[in-house]
Every structure is written in C-alpha cells, then in structure tokens.
Amino acid sequence: MSRKTVKTKMMTLKGIPVSPGIAIGKAHIFDEEKYIIPKYKIELESIQKEITKFNQALQKTKNELKKIQKVFTDKIKNEKLDFFKMHLLILDDPYLKDSVLIEIAENNKNAEWALYDVMSKHINSLSNIEDEYLSERVADLYDLAKRIMKNLLKKRENRLSDIEGKAIIIAKNLAPSDTVDMEKSKIIGFATDFGGRTSHTAIVSRALEIPAVIGLEDVSSKVHEGDNIIVDGSNGIVIINPEEGTLKEYQTAYNIFQKYSEELKKIKSLDSITLDKKRIKLAGNIEIREEIESVINHGGQGIGLFRTEFLYLNRTTLPTEKELFAIFKEAAEKTKPNAVIYRTLDIGGDKFGEAFKITDEMNPFLGYRAIRFCLENPEIFNTQLSAIIKAAYYGNGAIMIPMISSVDEIIKVKEMIGKLEETLTKNNEKFTKDIKIGAMIEIPSAAITIDIISKEVDFISIGTNDLVQYTLAVDRNNSKISHLYEPFHPAVLRLIKTITDSAHKNNIPVHVCGELAAEAMATILFVGMDIDELSMSAIAIPEIKKLIRSIRYKDAKILVNKVLKLNNAIEIKNEIRKFISKNTPEFLYKDTV
Ligand code: PEP
Ligand code: MG
C-alpha cells in the first residue's frame, strides 16, 4: 500500500536559511538506514577472525572516506575539508581501535557489538554536553560509526547519488558525507529537521550552491514521498504542497533567480563600480575558517569582518595564541593583497562561551560585552592582539574594535598594542608594525563623537545590527518587538549619514559590515552616502555587485537627500522602491525589509 494517496494541504514551515535560491520539485524522503546489530559472545578461537573482520571494515571505511574527500575537493575547488580529515583522524586514533579490540578480545563480544558499545559510549558522553559545536561533532561521530558498521555488516550504502530524476531531499539530518554526494543536477534542494548555521552540512550546501533550509524541527514528519515542495533557501521557507497561486509566484521568483545566477557568474570578476564610475569595495564577513575561500570564490575583495569570537565558542578552554595565530595567518595569506579585518573578541551580549565564566546579567547587550570585557581581561585580550599582529605580517591585516562607546577605549587598546610591539621587537618576532586600527560604530555615543574618534583610528566600520538596536532601544533578538527593529528609521539613516560625513572630513574611510550592507534597498543608500566598503556574507557579494553596477551614484545621492527629509520608515522605503522600479526593477523581488 502506498504511504499516502491524498496530498496534504498546503503548509508553510520556517527554518534557518543556509543556502540561497529557490527549488521547486518533488520530495524524496532520505531515511536514515536502520541496521539490526547482531550481538553475541564469541569463542576464544573466533577472536582473531572478529579482529580481522573489524580491521577490514576500518580499512574499507578509510578508503571510502579518502574517495569522498577527493570527489569533494574536485567539486569544490579549494574548500577546506576539515571534517573529512577529522573523520580520517578519528579512524586513525589508536584509542578508538584499541577500545574495540579490548571489547572483542577481553569481553568476547562479536565485532559489531564491540563497535556499537564503544561508539555509543563516546556519542553518549558528548551528547550530554549542551554545546552546539560538540553536538555537531556528535553528528560526525555518528556518521562515522554508521559507515564502519555498514562495512562490518557488508551492507550496500544508501546514497544520495543513487536517486533517479530530480528531487528535493527531506531528512531528519544530513551528514557531510551525504551532502557531498549530492549531484546538483539531481538534488535541487534540501530541507532538514536539525542543523545550525555553522553545521558542516550548511557549509557544504552553500559551497555547492544548492538551496537549503535547515533546523525546521519537524519537516521530515510532515512531508511524504512525492509531495510537491518549494524550498526558498534565501528566506528560510519550505512550502509543502503549494496551492496554484503560490506555485506560480515561486515559479516567477525561480525564473528571476536563475537568470540572476547566470548573470552573477559573469560579473564575479568584474569591478564593483556604478554606471557613473564610483567604486565601492565589497568584502566578506566570516565566522569560521571554511568561509575564507568562499569569500574569495564569490569575488570578495578581502575580509571586512572576521568575527573572531567564534573561535572561542563551543569549547571549555581558551584558544592558545598558537591556535589563533594559525587561523589568522591562513586568512591573511589567502586574502592578500586584500585586507583581513580581524574584529577583536566580541564576547557577551548573545555570545557566551564556557571558557569565559561570565556571570548572568540583567541586560547583557548593555553589559559586560566586547571591548568592555577585553579591557578587564588583558591576558585574554593580549593573547588575541599578539596573534593578530603576528599573523598580519603574512598578508594585509587590520584590527577592528567592537562596541566602542568612547575614544578612551581606543586609546587604551593602542597603548596595549604599543607595549606588545615593544615586547615582540625585543624578542625578534615578525609582526606588522603600526597595524591599522578601526573602530566599530555600533553605539550612538560613538556615532555622535565620531569627529573625536576619527582622529584616533585608520578606518571605521558601522555595525548596523547593533547600531539599530542601540539607537532604537530594540533588542535585536527579541521576536516580540521585531516589528520595531527598523533599520530604515530616520534616526538610523541620519546617524549613518552623520558618521560617514564626519569621518570623511577627517579623511577616514567608512565601512558597513552589518546585515544591512547586503539589503538591496539599503545598499543603494550606502552608495549615495559615499560609504567606501560594504562587507557581507560571501554568497551575497555577486548580487550586491550587480546592483551597484546597475545604478548611478549621482541618482543614489539624490535619493539619499530625498529620504533624509522624510518622516518615517514607510515613506522612506516607498521612496527607495520607486527608485528601484525606475532604475533596477529586477531588484524589486529583494524587497525583504
Ligand atoms: C553589527 O553589529 O552590525 C556587526 C556586524 O556585529 P555583530 O553582528 O557581530 O554584532
Ligand atoms: Mg555588533
């Protein structure tokens, strides 16, 4: 009997958008393979046979992984493949192997049972720790255990590459090795119950440019094989069995997106310049090292925001200077001659790490966050500063300080860097002397005193995510008041204009690195306000470049003057929409604000 004869009614689910684009197609449920694991005690004379069986399965798994790693490297150019490397490292770990052998030789368990017990023990102890990073490592371990078990049981693999025709994959979870198997011609999109923005599956989907929404919680139980599905990877929406009108709307959006993607490929290597020849630099924002190459592959002119605090999260100890240096150096080397802007530790607010022991606060966003934390913890801060200035030597690095509220904080950081330089010089270390220092302008007090701050820095970068929340007193993470989080509020726009004009008067370049940099409607204003650099997630770069190349700076300037005189966000956005309709109508679909 078929699982279902009548299609369920249209249903819309919201999840985390991890890879943009639209996919429309039939669902294929990718079921987890369930093995029955034989468990029996073995006789003394069978021990060697079981050990050989286990060793063979281990070797086969290794060969498979190496093959997958190669396919992946071929498919995704130079993408860093730490997770396959990590799987291989786990396989080579004598502790894992010895634990299984002990279970076989001393406890007389058959190989499958021994493997099951050892892996379950590891997986359970890691799963009990509440930590996003570790839960992703649990997924790695689980994926690996399944792979070895399949080889022990001599089962054939359930592979995504075996799928016939085109499909949208619906799964509880997808392992990196599942994702890498995806052929773009067959797998047109996917949606899963689990996963986070930094999960490997998310990274791979972006690298393969397959539209994907993850973290949908229960998509796998709501969708049936063969259901019609829309995956809107740009907005994190999955629609099950869409009605005709919705389907038509998305088909139009799909056609526009496809046309765009083709055009975007062509403009990747072109200059980011308006029709009347005004240049605006486009750089990438990164959180993890895997994104470095993605920025380069999308035509980013450097890294405009390296959120370094992500290197401190999901761990119980602080990273050493050596660890930080290795990653910072990699970024500098890969990005040169373009710049890497290392944003110093922005811990606190909504980002906490076990390693920091920050106590609970009533208002963490107004509390012990970012530079406030760093100045109170000079050891942690000095370690990071030292790693940055040493790494910068291998490319073109700069330092950027978050959550500046007054110039005094910048002066203190400069004093610390000065002392560090003395020590490094004494120790004959290689480092960038007089590294460029920038302030993030995210707090109104810094915006209002920008003339003072400009005299102490080499550049400024406007963090619009925080500037909006601090200017409007609207918590950026509180969904109850999200309708009040309005980046087009006249107060925000006036502030950005004031910051830019004042910094320019002092010959200081101005960057924008908040999410707003990649919002088409805001980008146009930034062009008209003379912003020098926009930094955004890698995937947004080509599209924003296309927008910049299709407008005139002169017109954008006129638009800015007009909107700055308007009374509220509604009027302002309508004025920008008029501009888009007239000058670059293909961007109307990007009206997401
Ligand atoms: C910002 O506030 O706009 C910003 C870029 O920093 P973050 O989002 O990391 O706070
Ligand atoms: Mg910020």
Side-chain angles (χ1 to χ4, degrees):
M1 202 179 86
S2 77
R3 286 223 277 164
K4 192 172 132 290
T5 47
V6 184
K7 288 214 183 296
T8 45
K9 282 221 313 255
M10 171 162 138
M11 199 186 293
T12 303
L13 306 177
K14 187 97 181 75
I16 306 167
V18 288
S19 184
I22 290 162
I24 304 172
K26 298 269 180 217
H28 174 73
I29 313 284
F30 188 65
D31 266 334
E32 246 184 316
E33 289 158 282
K34 290 183 184 68
Y35 304 131
I36 295 170
I37 295 155
K39 293 181 183 175
Y40 52 87
K41 286 275 182 186
I42 51 169
E43 302 294 335
L44 221 56
E45 56 271 25
S46 302
I47 289 177
Q48 196 46 52
K49 197 180 108 210
E50 290 299 302
I51 289 177
T52 309
K53 197 168 90 180
F54 173 68
N55 283 336
Q56 282 170 347
L58 216 54
Q59 191 53 48
K60 188 155 188 259
T61 310
K62 242 185 248 182
N63 297 344
E64 277 175 10
L65 281 173
K66 281 186 185 152
K67 224 162 103 187
I68 295 176
Q69 195 178 25
K70 176 156 183 353
V71 173
F72 195 89
T73 319
D74 291 347
K75 261 193 197 174
I76 303 172
K77 288 162 227 129
N78 294 317
E79 188 87 4
K80 192 100 185 150
L81 299 175
D82 283 348
F83 40 97
F84 292 113
K85 230 189 256 164
M86 180 153 48
H87 284 197
L88 284 162
L89 279 175
I90 301 172
L91 279 182
D92 279 334
D93 180 356
Y95 180 72
L96 164 74
K97 192 172 164 184
D98 291 351
S99 307
V100 176
L101 296 187
I102 287 170
E103 290 296 322
I104 298 174
E106 291 180 12
N107 297 330
N108 303 91
K109 290 177 181 169
N110 65 314
E112 293 87 346
W113 187 5
L115 174 72
Y116 177 82
D117 277 0
V118 169
M119 291 307 251
S120 303
K121 211 169 91 195
H122 285 311
I123 289 171
N124 288 339
S125 59
L126 275 184
S127 314
N128 288 334
I129 306 169
E130 260 193 41
D131 179 303
E132 197 191 340
Y133 176 80
L134 284 182
S135 64
E136 279 160 18
R137 298 300 75 76
V138 170
D140 283 335
L141 214 53
Y142 184 66
D143 187 28
L144 191 61
K146 242 174 55 184
R147 201 168 266 286
I148 310 172
M149 189 61 82
K150 177 207 75 191
N151 286 329
L152 258 181
L153 295 165
K154 300 198 166 41
K155 295 262 187 209
R156 198 182 169 279
E157 223 176 326
N158 181 9
R159 296 185 58 162
L160 279 170
S161 53
D162 293 341
I163 283 170
E164 286 181 12
K166 287 177 189 268
I168 289 179
I169 300 301
I170 307 289
K172 275 194 186 334
N173 201 9
L174 287 172
S177 53
D178 292 326
T179 328
V180 81
D181 241 5
M182 288 186 179
E183 294 281 336
K184 247 188 114 170
S185 57
K186 289 180 177 178
I187 312 293
I188 54 174
F190 71 83
T192 63
D193 294 347
F194 303 117
R197 217 194 93 70
T198 62
S199 64
H200 291 136
T201 299
I203 295 165
V204 175
S205 68
R206 279 197 289 275
L208 290 172
E209 295 178 26
I210 293 177
V213 180
I214 63 174
L216 286 147
E217 291 177 3
D218 52 1
V219 66
S220 69
S221 59
K222 296 217 157 96
V223 175
H224 300 88
E225 185 76 21
D227 274 351
N228 295 322
I229 301 287
I230 295 172
V231 172
D232 177 351
S234 308
N235 298 301
I237 290 169
V238 170
I239 304 174
I240 308 168
N241 293 324
E243 282 159 6
E244 213 172 303
T246 309
L247 194 60
K248 269 200 185 133
E249 252 173 54
Y250 268 93
Q251 260 152 358
T252 311
Y254 172 83
N255 290 337
I256 294 172
F257 192 88
Q258 290 309 101
K259 206 171 133 223
Y260 262 168
S261 305
E262 285 312 306
E263 282 176 33
L264 292 181
K265 270 184 209 142
K266 285 184 231 150
I267 71 156
K268 201 181 101 180
S269 52
L270 300 180
D271 287 346
S272 172
I273 189 167
T274 63
L275 292 170
D276 47 353
K277 308 285 177 239
K278 161 99 172 157
R279 281 177 194 277
I280 294 98
K281 204 164 166 190
L282 296 183
N285 292 352
I286 68 164
E287 287 83 32
I288 48 174
R289 70 194 314 173
E290 280 86 352
E291 290 172 298
I292 302 170
E293 257 138 21
S294 186
V295 169
I296 298 162
N297 293 338
H298 284 86
Q301 298 162 275
I303 295 168
L305 166 65
F306 189 157
R307 289 185 165 101
T308 61
E309 59 278 3
F310 277 79
L311 308 175
Y312 294 72
L313 305 181
N314 310 315
R315 49 187 298 159
T316 47
T317 55
L318 294 166
T320 60
E321 184 180 325
K322 207 168 145 200
E323 274 177 77
L324 294 173
F325 170 74
I327 298 170
F328 293 163
K329 179 170 174 255
E330 183 182 331
E333 282 177 335
K334 286 191 170 153
T335 314
K336 76 178 176 196
N338 288 318
V340 183
I341 300 179
Y342 303 95
R343 194 260 297 275
T344 58
L345 190 57
D346 184 2
I347 206 71
D350 58 351
K351 284 171 281 190
F352 297 98
E354 245 187 281
F356 293 106
K357 324 244 173 316
I358 296 177
T359 48
D360 283 353
E361 294 174 280
M362 288 289 280
N363 289 308
F365 269 121
L366 300 182
Y368 197 42
R369 181 187 172 190
I371 189 60
R372 300 171 181 184
F373 172 89
C374 287
L375 291 175
E376 293 287 322
N377 293 275
E379 261 176 47
I380 297 176
F381 197 30
N382 260 320
T383 304
Q384 183 180 49
L385 290 174
S386 177
I388 294 174
I389 61 176
K390 281 193 210 163
Y393 176 84
Y394 296 89
N396 177 14
I399 289 179
M400 177 159 86
I401 312 153
M403 216 192 166
I404 288 295
S405 60
S406 88
V407 73
D408 308 343
E409 289 153 335
I410 296 161
I411 293 169
K412 282 184 190 148
V413 175
K414 285 169 76 174
E415 278 167 11
M416 286 178 78
I417 294 176
K419 281 192 191 134
L420 253 175
E421 286 186 343
E422 277 173 29
T423 315
L424 295 176
T425 310
K426 245 189 248 157
N427 296 343
N428 267 334
E429 301 246 28
K430 289 180 184 153
F431 69 97
T432 293
K433 206 170 157 26
D434 298 326
I435 191 165
K436 285 200 171 131
I437 296 176
M440 278 193 86
I441 306 300
E442 306 180 280
I443 299 181
S445 61
I448 294 164
T449 53
I450 194 72
D451 54 324
I452 305 171
I453 290 174
S454 293
K455 300 205 166 62
E456 292 293 336
V457 294
D458 299 294
F459 65 95
I460 61 156
S461 191
I462 307 177
T464 51
N465 304 336
D466 278 314
L467 186 67
V468 173
Q469 83 161 343
Y470 293 134
T471 303
L472 304 180
V474 176
D475 179 346
R476 68 195 253 192
N477 290 341
N478 187 341
S479 53
K480 262 194 221 146
I481 47 166
S482 61
H483 59 287
L484 297 174
Y485 188 91
E486 179 48 86
F488 291 87
H489 191 298
V492 175
L493 298 184
R494 284 185 194 183
L495 217 43
I496 297 175
K497 178 81 166 68
T498 309
I499 297 168
T500 311
D501 290 349
S502 179
H504 280 165
K505 248 188 227 153
N506 288 285
N507 295 319
I508 297 299
V510 180
H511 309 173
V512 172
C513 64
E515 302 311 300
L516 215 49
E519 287 289 352
M521 290 176 66
T523 306
I524 297 169
L525 297 184
F526 294 149
V527 170
M529 287 186 193
D530 291 291
I531 299 284
D532 303 281
E533 174 179 312
L534 298 172
S535 191
M536 60 200 71
S537 68
I539 223 156
I541 294 172
E543 190 170 38
I544 291 299
K545 192 193 285 182
K546 177 175 163 45
L547 172 66
I548 289 170
R549 291 178 62 86
S550 64
I551 59 171
R552 274 174 208 286
Y553 163 64
K554 214 175 65 199
D555 299 337
K557 228 175 163 47
I558 295 169
L559 176 70
V560 168
N561 286 333
K562 231 188 242 174
V563 301
L564 285 175
K565 293 189 190 102
L566 298 175
N567 294 329
N568 58 42
I570 296 176
E571 289 176 16
I572 292 173
K573 285 193 275 192
N574 281 340
E575 198 57 48
I576 306 172
R577 283 182 190 118
K578 268 199 260 163
F579 178 96
I580 295 181
S581 303
K582 186 169 160 221
N583 296 289
T584 179
E586 65 268 41
F587 273 89
L588 274 179
Y589 91 104
K590 283 286 295 172
D591 190 348
T592 52
V593 286

